[in-house]
Amino acid sequence: MNLSQRHLQMFVTTAAYCNVSRASETLHISQPALTRALKELESQLGVTLFQRTTRRINLTMEGERFLPVAQRLLNDMTVAIDMVRGEATGQQGSISLAVGEAFGCTVLPAVLKVFAQSFPRVRVRIINDNSQGITRRVDNSEVDFGIGTPVGNTGALLCTPLLSAPLGLLADPSQYKLGTDVDVSDLASLPLLKESNDTSIHHLLSVNGSDVVAWMSIGIEVSSLAQQLALARSGVGVAVLSALGASHYDAVSMKFSQLKPEINRKVFLMQRRDKVLSPSSRALLATIFELMHSVPLHPCVLIYDYHSSK
């Protein structure tokens, strides 16, 4: 059986008018062509759908039973076609991405505001995680792509640099007098807040053999940027973070001092090499690349040119 959307549309329209002439005008086809198509449909179904008279046609009992089924099938086919076309053009679909809190709170809001206006039918799911978790989620194909610092197994991933931000200290200037730069040797007396072992900050400090790892190990451990900023703002401790984290709106009243010797955190777009991104995912990435330069970030943050980094 070759039951097409065309056959269903012709049957439903003819049933609505009970008149081949008016139905053919609505469908913009000739009466003989419509009559042939209806007979083809009846032949495929093996039943008579219309009872014909000289002036009009009426649905048979079988036609009345088939009409709601045909209407439902026609609607389902229309919805399915619209969905496929929408996803193919990026106008419809769903996106899942894993991001770190710093990028998610500083860059993403402005990006998603513009993206939602241009693609209102695309559903976006954001998963907040640390860099180790983001890398794992992308590697396991739990998300379409991730934005963070690659930590762990990256062999199957394509990592494109987005920005670079130096590490430093963030503190309430009324309680801790820090200069523009702070030498690592001067940190022993400061109440440093502890970064979790699975974060990119801790990973970078450890890889570079920084003494900051030992000095912050006795401090209060926090797992979220918002909590870290709240503690720093209240004077409980001094936060160790990147200039990207210091771009958060909760950090406006505090002073960021860059660590010396300099250690930079690079943030990457991470995606699996063997996975083709959907049109809607590509549209979101294009919006990120387009708007990153216009987002107000700390002046120490360096944003890479996407085209030159590919």
Side-chain angles (χ1 to χ4, degrees), residues 63-105:
E64 290 179 350
R65 290 175 179 171
F66 183 60
L67 180 58
V69 176
Q71 290 170 327
R72 185 173 65 251
L73 287 172
L74 186 60
N75 179 71
D76 289 346
M77 292 175 71
T78 301
V79 170
I81 291 170
D82 288 345
M83 180 184 67
V84 171
R85 287 175 176 169
E87 291 181 352
T89 59
Q91 294 296 323
Q92 188 171 328
S94 61
I95 307 169
S96 59
L97 63 150
V99 297
E101 196 171 0
F103 191 92
C105 290

mmCIF file of all heavy atoms in Angstrom, residues 63-105:
data_model
loop_
_atom_site.group_PDB
_atom_site.id
_atom_site.type_symbol
_atom_site.label_atom_id
_atom_site.label_comp_id
_atom_site.label_asym_id
_atom_site.label_seq_id
_atom_site.Cartn_x
_atom_site.Cartn_y
_atom_site.Cartn_z
ATOM 1 N N GLY A 63 -16.212 5.283 4.894
ATOM 2 C CA GLY A 63 -15.600 6.606 4.762
ATOM 3 C C GLY A 63 -15.694 7.412 6.038
ATOM 4 O O GLY A 63 -14.736 8.112 6.419
ATOM 5 N N GLU A 64 -16.825 7.326 6.723
ATOM 6 C CA GLU A 64 -16.989 8.038 7.997
ATOM 7 C C GLU A 64 -16.030 7.506 9.049
ATOM 8 O O GLU A 64 -15.507 8.261 9.880
ATOM 9 C CB GLU A 64 -18.437 7.912 8.474
ATOM 10 C CG GLU A 64 -19.430 8.699 7.622
ATOM 11 C CD GLU A 64 -20.863 8.524 8.102
ATOM 12 O OE1 GLU A 64 -21.099 7.647 8.969
ATOM 13 O OE2 GLU A 64 -21.743 9.255 7.604
ATOM 14 N N ARG A 65 -15.797 6.206 9.031
ATOM 15 C CA ARG A 65 -14.847 5.607 9.983
ATOM 16 C C ARG A 65 -13.412 6.008 9.661
ATOM 17 O O ARG A 65 -12.590 6.202 10.555
ATOM 18 C CB ARG A 65 -14.977 4.080 9.959
ATOM 19 C CG ARG A 65 -16.270 3.546 10.552
ATOM 20 C CD ARG A 65 -16.346 2.042 10.371
ATOM 21 N NE ARG A 65 -17.575 1.495 10.953
ATOM 22 C CZ ARG A 65 -17.995 0.236 10.788
ATOM 23 N NH1 ARG A 65 -17.275 -0.598 10.029
ATOM 24 N NH2 ARG A 65 -19.100 -0.167 11.353
ATOM 25 N N PHE A 66 -13.138 6.125 8.355
ATOM 26 C CA PHE A 66 -11.758 6.431 7.954
ATOM 27 C C PHE A 66 -11.420 7.912 8.100
ATOM 28 O O PHE A 66 -10.250 8.268 8.268
ATOM 29 C CB PHE A 66 -11.539 5.993 6.502
ATOM 30 C CG PHE A 66 -10.132 6.196 6.008
ATOM 31 C CD1 PHE A 66 -9.059 5.563 6.621
ATOM 32 C CD2 PHE A 66 -9.888 7.040 4.924
ATOM 33 C CE1 PHE A 66 -7.771 5.752 6.166
ATOM 34 C CE2 PHE A 66 -8.594 7.240 4.468
ATOM 35 C CZ PHE A 66 -7.531 6.589 5.089
ATOM 36 N N LEU A 67 -12.424 8.787 8.059
ATOM 37 C CA LEU A 67 -12.165 10.222 8.061
ATOM 38 C C LEU A 67 -11.337 10.680 9.275
ATOM 39 O O LEU A 67 -10.312 11.359 9.088
ATOM 40 C CB LEU A 67 -13.479 11.009 7.991
ATOM 41 C CG LEU A 67 -13.331 12.540 7.998
ATOM 42 C CD1 LEU A 67 -12.465 13.008 6.851
ATOM 43 C CD2 LEU A 67 -14.701 13.210 7.960
ATOM 44 N N PRO A 68 -11.704 10.362 10.530
ATOM 45 C CA PRO A 68 -10.869 10.819 11.657
ATOM 46 C C PRO A 68 -9.460 10.225 11.635
ATOM 47 O O PRO A 68 -8.502 10.862 12.062
ATOM 48 C CB PRO A 68 -11.649 10.371 12.898
ATOM 49 C CG PRO A 68 -12.556 9.292 12.423
ATOM 50 C CD PRO A 68 -12.899 9.641 11.002
ATOM 51 N N VAL A 69 -9.349 9.004 11.117
ATOM 52 C CA VAL A 69 -8.022 8.380 11.002
ATOM 53 C C VAL A 69 -7.184 9.144 9.989
ATOM 54 O O VAL A 69 -6.003 9.446 10.218
ATOM 55 C CB VAL A 69 -8.153 6.896 10.581
ATOM 56 C CG1 VAL A 69 -6.768 6.284 10.362
ATOM 57 C CG2 VAL A 69 -8.926 6.112 11.634
ATOM 58 N N ALA A 70 -7.795 9.482 8.855
ATOM 59 C CA ALA A 70 -7.081 10.226 7.814
ATOM 60 C C ALA A 70 -6.672 11.606 8.311
ATOM 61 O O ALA A 70 -5.562 12.079 8.024
ATOM 62 C CB ALA A 70 -7.961 10.340 6.571
ATOM 63 N N GLN A 71 -7.561 12.272 9.038
ATOM 64 C CA GLN A 71 -7.240 13.596 9.578
ATOM 65 C C GLN A 71 -6.061 13.524 10.542
ATOM 66 O O GLN A 71 -5.174 14.379 10.523
ATOM 67 C CB GLN A 71 -8.473 14.181 10.275
ATOM 68 C CG GLN A 71 -9.581 14.567 9.322
ATOM 69 C CD GLN A 71 -10.876 14.921 10.026
ATOM 70 O OE1 GLN A 71 -11.196 14.357 11.084
ATOM 71 N NE2 GLN A 71 -11.647 15.830 9.447
ATOM 72 N N ARG A 72 -6.064 12.491 11.396
ATOM 73 C CA ARG A 72 -4.964 12.329 12.348
ATOM 74 C C ARG A 72 -3.651 11.999 11.631
ATOM 75 O O ARG A 72 -2.593 12.551 11.950
ATOM 76 C CB ARG A 72 -5.305 11.227 13.350
ATOM 77 C CG ARG A 72 -4.258 11.065 14.460
ATOM 78 C CD ARG A 72 -4.698 10.099 15.533
ATOM 79 N NE ARG A 72 -4.828 8.728 15.038
ATOM 80 C CZ ARG A 72 -5.985 8.095 14.867
ATOM 81 N NH1 ARG A 72 -7.130 8.711 15.131
ATOM 82 N NH2 ARG A 72 -6.009 6.864 14.423
ATOM 83 N N LEU A 73 -3.725 11.098 10.640
ATOM 84 C CA LEU A 73 -2.521 10.753 9.879
ATOM 85 C C LEU A 73 -1.969 11.969 9.144
ATOM 86 O O LEU A 73 -0.751 12.200 9.118
ATOM 87 C CB LEU A 73 -2.844 9.638 8.881
ATOM 88 C CG LEU A 73 -3.063 8.241 9.446
ATOM 89 C CD1 LEU A 73 -3.562 7.302 8.349
ATOM 90 C CD2 LEU A 73 -1.772 7.692 10.056
ATOM 91 N N LEU A 74 -2.857 12.749 8.555
ATOM 92 C CA LEU A 74 -2.434 13.936 7.812
ATOM 93 C C LEU A 74 -1.780 14.945 8.736
ATOM 94 O O LEU A 74 -0.738 15.538 8.399
ATOM 95 C CB LEU A 74 -3.645 14.559 7.114
ATOM 96 C CG LEU A 74 -3.366 15.729 6.174
ATOM 97 C CD1 LEU A 74 -2.449 15.309 5.045
ATOM 98 C CD2 LEU A 74 -4.679 16.276 5.623
ATOM 99 N N ASN A 75 -2.357 15.131 9.909
ATOM 100 C CA ASN A 75 -1.775 16.056 10.875
ATOM 101 C C ASN A 75 -0.410 15.566 11.350
ATOM 102 O O ASN A 75 0.547 16.351 11.443
ATOM 103 C CB ASN A 75 -2.717 16.219 12.069
ATOM 104 C CG ASN A 75 -2.154 17.161 13.124
ATOM 105 O OD1 ASN A 75 -2.079 18.357 12.918
ATOM 106 N ND2 ASN A 75 -1.758 16.606 14.256
ATOM 107 N N ASP A 76 -0.309 14.258 11.650
ATOM 108 C CA ASP A 76 0.967 13.700 12.119
ATOM 109 C C ASP A 76 2.042 13.838 11.050
ATOM 110 O O ASP A 76 3.208 14.158 11.349
ATOM 111 C CB ASP A 76 0.801 12.232 12.502
ATOM 112 C CG ASP A 76 -0.008 12.050 13.780
ATOM 113 O OD1 ASP A 76 -0.201 13.041 14.502
ATOM 114 O OD2 ASP A 76 -0.434 10.907 14.045
ATOM 115 N N MET A 77 1.676 13.595 9.795
ATOM 116 C CA MET A 77 2.644 13.710 8.708
ATOM 117 C C MET A 77 3.090 15.158 8.531
ATOM 118 O O MET A 77 4.274 15.428 8.317
ATOM 119 C CB MET A 77 2.033 13.179 7.405
ATOM 120 C CG MET A 77 1.799 11.676 7.400
ATOM 121 S SD MET A 77 0.940 11.102 5.910
ATOM 122 C CE MET A 77 2.223 11.296 4.686
ATOM 123 N N THR A 78 2.159 16.085 8.657
ATOM 124 C CA THR A 78 2.496 17.507 8.526
ATOM 125 C C THR A 78 3.438 17.943 9.642
ATOM 126 O O THR A 78 4.423 18.642 9.400
ATOM 127 C CB THR A 78 1.215 18.360 8.554
ATOM 128 O OG1 THR A 78 0.356 17.948 7.487
ATOM 129 C CG2 THR A 78 1.555 19.837 8.382
ATOM 130 N N VAL A 79 3.122 17.532 10.874
ATOM 131 C CA VAL A 79 3.975 17.869 12.013
ATOM 132 C C VAL A 79 5.365 17.281 11.846
ATOM 133 O O VAL A 79 6.389 17.935 12.101
ATOM 134 C CB VAL A 79 3.335 17.377 13.331
ATOM 135 C CG1 VAL A 79 4.326 17.504 14.491
ATOM 136 C CG2 VAL A 79 2.071 18.159 13.637
ATOM 137 N N ALA A 80 5.421 16.000 11.393
ATOM 138 C CA ALA A 80 6.719 15.337 11.215
ATOM 139 C C ALA A 80 7.558 16.026 10.151
ATOM 140 O O ALA A 80 8.765 16.235 10.324
ATOM 141 C CB ALA A 80 6.498 13.864 10.852
ATOM 142 N N ILE A 81 6.919 16.395 9.041
ATOM 143 C CA ILE A 81 7.642 17.079 7.961
ATOM 144 C C ILE A 81 8.151 18.438 8.424
ATOM 145 O O ILE A 81 9.295 18.822 8.162
ATOM 146 C CB ILE A 81 6.740 17.218 6.719
ATOM 147 C CG1 ILE A 81 6.491 15.850 6.097
ATOM 148 C CG2 ILE A 81 7.365 18.166 5.692
ATOM 149 C CD1 ILE A 81 5.437 15.845 5.022
ATOM 150 N N ASP A 82 7.288 19.183 9.124
ATOM 151 C CA ASP A 82 7.702 20.490 9.647
ATOM 152 C C ASP A 82 8.867 20.348 10.623
ATOM 153 O O ASP A 82 9.785 21.179 10.638
ATOM 154 C CB ASP A 82 6.530 21.172 10.348
ATOM 155 C CG ASP A 82 5.478 21.674 9.369
ATOM 156 O OD1 ASP A 82 5.790 21.742 8.161
ATOM 157 O OD2 ASP A 82 4.354 21.971 9.808
ATOM 158 N N MET A 83 8.825 19.293 11.456
ATOM 159 C CA MET A 83 9.881 19.084 12.435
ATOM 160 C C MET A 83 11.207 18.779 11.747
ATOM 161 O O MET A 83 12.248 19.344 12.088
ATOM 162 C CB MET A 83 9.506 17.939 13.377
ATOM 163 C CG MET A 83 10.549 17.642 14.445
ATOM 164 S SD MET A 83 10.117 16.202 15.465
ATOM 165 C CE MET A 83 10.243 14.888 14.244
ATOM 166 N N VAL A 84 11.163 17.878 10.748
ATOM 167 C CA VAL A 84 12.390 17.511 10.035
ATOM 168 C C VAL A 84 12.963 18.715 9.300
ATOM 169 O O VAL A 84 14.168 18.976 9.323
ATOM 170 C CB VAL A 84 12.114 16.353 9.056
ATOM 171 C CG1 VAL A 84 13.316 16.125 8.154
ATOM 172 C CG2 VAL A 84 11.786 15.089 9.823
ATOM 173 N N ARG A 85 12.079 19.471 8.641
ATOM 174 C CA ARG A 85 12.549 20.662 7.925
ATOM 175 C C ARG A 85 13.113 21.688 8.899
ATOM 176 O O ARG A 85 14.123 22.340 8.618
ATOM 177 C CB ARG A 85 11.399 21.262 7.130
ATOM 178 C CG ARG A 85 11.018 20.463 5.891
ATOM 179 C CD ARG A 85 9.794 21.039 5.213
ATOM 180 N NE ARG A 85 9.486 20.315 3.978
ATOM 181 C CZ ARG A 85 8.358 20.474 3.297
ATOM 182 N NH1 ARG A 85 7.445 21.335 3.720
ATOM 183 N NH2 ARG A 85 8.151 19.782 2.198
ATOM 184 N N GLY A 86 12.443 21.840 10.041
ATOM 185 C CA GLY A 86 12.919 22.798 11.043
ATOM 186 C C GLY A 86 14.267 22.426 11.603
ATOM 187 O O GLY A 86 15.149 23.271 11.777
ATOM 188 N N GLU A 87 14.460 21.119 11.876
ATOM 189 C CA GLU A 87 15.750 20.675 12.403
ATOM 190 C C GLU A 87 16.835 20.789 11.351
ATOM 191 O O GLU A 87 17.992 21.088 11.660
ATOM 192 C CB GLU A 87 15.631 19.241 12.913
ATOM 193 C CG GLU A 87 14.768 19.118 14.168
ATOM 194 C CD GLU A 87 14.667 17.697 14.675
ATOM 195 O OE1 GLU A 87 15.139 16.785 13.965
ATOM 196 O OE2 GLU A 87 14.125 17.495 15.783
ATOM 197 N N ALA A 88 16.473 20.541 10.106
ATOM 198 C CA ALA A 88 17.470 20.622 9.024
ATOM 199 C C ALA A 88 17.967 22.044 8.821
ATOM 200 O O ALA A 88 19.108 22.267 8.410
ATOM 201 C CB ALA A 88 16.873 20.082 7.724
ATOM 202 N N THR A 89 17.119 23.014 9.113
ATOM 203 C CA THR A 89 17.512 24.414 8.937
ATOM 204 C C THR A 89 17.961 25.064 10.237
ATOM 205 O O THR A 89 18.348 26.230 10.245
ATOM 206 C CB THR A 89 16.331 25.225 8.369
ATOM 207 O OG1 THR A 89 15.215 25.134 9.274
ATOM 208 C CG2 THR A 89 15.913 24.698 7.010
ATOM 209 N N GLY A 90 17.906 24.305 11.341
ATOM 210 C CA GLY A 90 18.305 24.852 12.635
ATOM 211 C C GLY A 90 17.217 25.643 13.323
ATOM 212 O O GLY A 90 17.426 26.184 14.406
ATOM 213 N N GLN A 91 16.029 25.716 12.718
ATOM 214 C CA GLN A 91 14.944 26.506 13.292
ATOM 215 C C GLN A 91 14.192 25.752 14.375
ATOM 216 O O GLN A 91 13.396 26.331 15.107
ATOM 217 C CB GLN A 91 13.962 26.920 12.193
ATOM 218 C CG GLN A 91 14.545 27.883 11.178
ATOM 219 C CD GLN A 91 14.931 29.216 11.806
ATOM 220 O OE1 GLN A 91 14.252 29.715 12.693
ATOM 221 N NE2 GLN A 91 16.044 29.777 11.361
ATOM 222 N N GLN A 92 14.418 24.455 14.482
ATOM 223 C CA GLN A 92 13.728 23.646 15.472
ATOM 224 C C GLN A 92 14.657 22.526 15.906
ATOM 225 O O GLN A 92 15.522 22.087 15.161
ATOM 226 C CB GLN A 92 12.441 23.071 14.867
ATOM 227 C CG GLN A 92 11.541 22.359 15.853
ATOM 228 C CD GLN A 92 10.205 22.014 15.202
ATOM 229 O OE1 GLN A 92 9.724 22.729 14.352
ATOM 230 N NE2 GLN A 92 9.623 20.903 15.610
ATOM 231 N N GLY A 93 14.487 22.036 17.130
ATOM 232 C CA GLY A 93 15.329 20.956 17.618
ATOM 233 C C GLY A 93 15.695 21.173 19.072
ATOM 234 O O GLY A 93 15.070 21.971 19.779
ATOM 235 N N SER A 94 16.702 20.468 19.523
ATOM 236 C CA SER A 94 17.153 20.590 20.905
ATOM 237 C C SER A 94 18.672 20.551 20.954
ATOM 238 O O SER A 94 19.315 19.914 20.115
ATOM 239 C CB SER A 94 16.564 19.471 21.773
ATOM 240 O OG SER A 94 16.976 18.203 21.297
ATOM 241 N N ILE A 95 19.231 21.247 21.929
ATOM 242 C CA ILE A 95 20.677 21.318 22.119
ATOM 243 C C ILE A 95 20.979 21.057 23.585
ATOM 244 O O ILE A 95 20.296 21.595 24.461
ATOM 245 C CB ILE A 95 21.231 22.713 21.743
ATOM 246 C CG1 ILE A 95 20.798 23.120 20.335
ATOM 247 C CG2 ILE A 95 22.751 22.752 21.863
ATOM 248 C CD1 ILE A 95 21.079 24.581 20.017
ATOM 249 N N SER A 96 21.970 20.249 23.852
ATOM 250 C CA SER A 96 22.440 20.064 25.220
ATOM 251 C C SER A 96 23.923 20.410 25.267
ATOM 252 O O SER A 96 24.691 19.971 24.408
ATOM 253 C CB SER A 96 22.224 18.616 25.689
ATOM 254 O OG SER A 96 22.909 17.705 24.853
ATOM 255 N N LEU A 97 24.304 21.221 26.231
ATOM 256 C CA LEU A 97 25.705 21.603 26.352
ATOM 257 C C LEU A 97 26.098 21.637 27.819
ATOM 258 O O LEU A 97 25.277 21.931 28.691
ATOM 259 C CB LEU A 97 25.974 22.962 25.713
ATOM 260 C CG LEU A 97 25.268 24.189 26.300
ATOM 261 C CD1 LEU A 97 26.143 25.421 26.107
ATOM 262 C CD2 LEU A 97 23.934 24.430 25.639
ATOM 263 N N ALA A 98 27.346 21.309 28.077
ATOM 264 C CA ALA A 98 27.904 21.362 29.426
ATOM 265 C C ALA A 98 28.891 22.518 29.481
ATOM 266 O O ALA A 98 29.745 22.654 28.597
ATOM 267 C CB ALA A 98 28.600 20.046 29.774
ATOM 268 N N VAL A 99 28.765 23.361 30.496
ATOM 269 C CA VAL A 99 29.637 24.525 30.614
ATOM 270 C C VAL A 99 30.079 24.710 32.060
ATOM 271 O O VAL A 99 29.407 24.261 32.992
ATOM 272 C CB VAL A 99 28.939 25.824 30.144
ATOM 273 C CG1 VAL A 99 28.577 25.748 28.681
ATOM 274 C CG2 VAL A 99 27.708 26.107 30.969
ATOM 275 N N GLY A 100 31.208 25.384 32.212
ATOM 276 C CA GLY A 100 31.644 25.785 33.531
ATOM 277 C C GLY A 100 30.859 26.989 34.000
ATOM 278 O O GLY A 100 30.284 27.740 33.198
ATOM 279 N N GLU A 101 30.846 27.199 35.316
ATOM 280 C CA GLU A 101 30.031 28.268 35.872
ATOM 281 C C GLU A 101 30.517 29.644 35.443
ATOM 282 O O GLU A 101 29.708 30.551 35.209
ATOM 283 C CB GLU A 101 30.023 28.162 37.400
ATOM 284 C CG GLU A 101 28.939 28.968 38.066
ATOM 285 C CD GLU A 101 28.824 28.679 39.547
ATOM 286 O OE1 GLU A 101 29.592 27.841 40.055
ATOM 287 O OE2 GLU A 101 27.979 29.306 40.190
ATOM 288 N N ALA A 102 31.821 29.819 35.311
ATOM 289 C CA ALA A 102 32.355 31.135 34.940
ATOM 290 C C ALA A 102 31.881 31.541 33.548
ATOM 291 O O ALA A 102 31.366 32.647 33.340
ATOM 292 C CB ALA A 102 33.878 31.129 35.006
ATOM 293 N N PHE A 103 32.032 30.654 32.571
ATOM 294 C CA PHE A 103 31.590 30.952 31.209
ATOM 295 C C PHE A 103 30.068 31.047 31.161
ATOM 296 O O PHE A 103 29.507 31.920 30.493
ATOM 297 C CB PHE A 103 32.073 29.866 30.244
ATOM 298 C CG PHE A 103 31.892 30.207 28.793
ATOM 299 C CD1 PHE A 103 32.903 30.817 28.079
ATOM 300 C CD2 PHE A 103 30.706 29.904 28.136
ATOM 301 C CE1 PHE A 103 32.742 31.142 26.736
ATOM 302 C CE2 PHE A 103 30.527 30.227 26.800
ATOM 303 C CZ PHE A 103 31.554 30.845 26.094
ATOM 304 N N GLY A 104 29.403 30.147 31.890
ATOM 305 C CA GLY A 104 27.952 30.123 31.883
ATOM 306 C C GLY A 104 27.317 31.369 32.468
ATOM 307 O O GLY A 104 26.220 31.760 32.066
ATOM 308 N N CYS A 105 28.003 32.015 33.412
ATOM 309 C CA CYS A 105 27.441 33.206 34.058
ATOM 310 C C CYS A 105 27.888 34.515 33.426
ATOM 311 O O CYS A 105 27.282 35.559 33.677
ATOM 312 C CB CYS A 105 27.820 33.217 35.545
ATOM 313 S SG CYS A 105 26.988 31.944 36.525
#
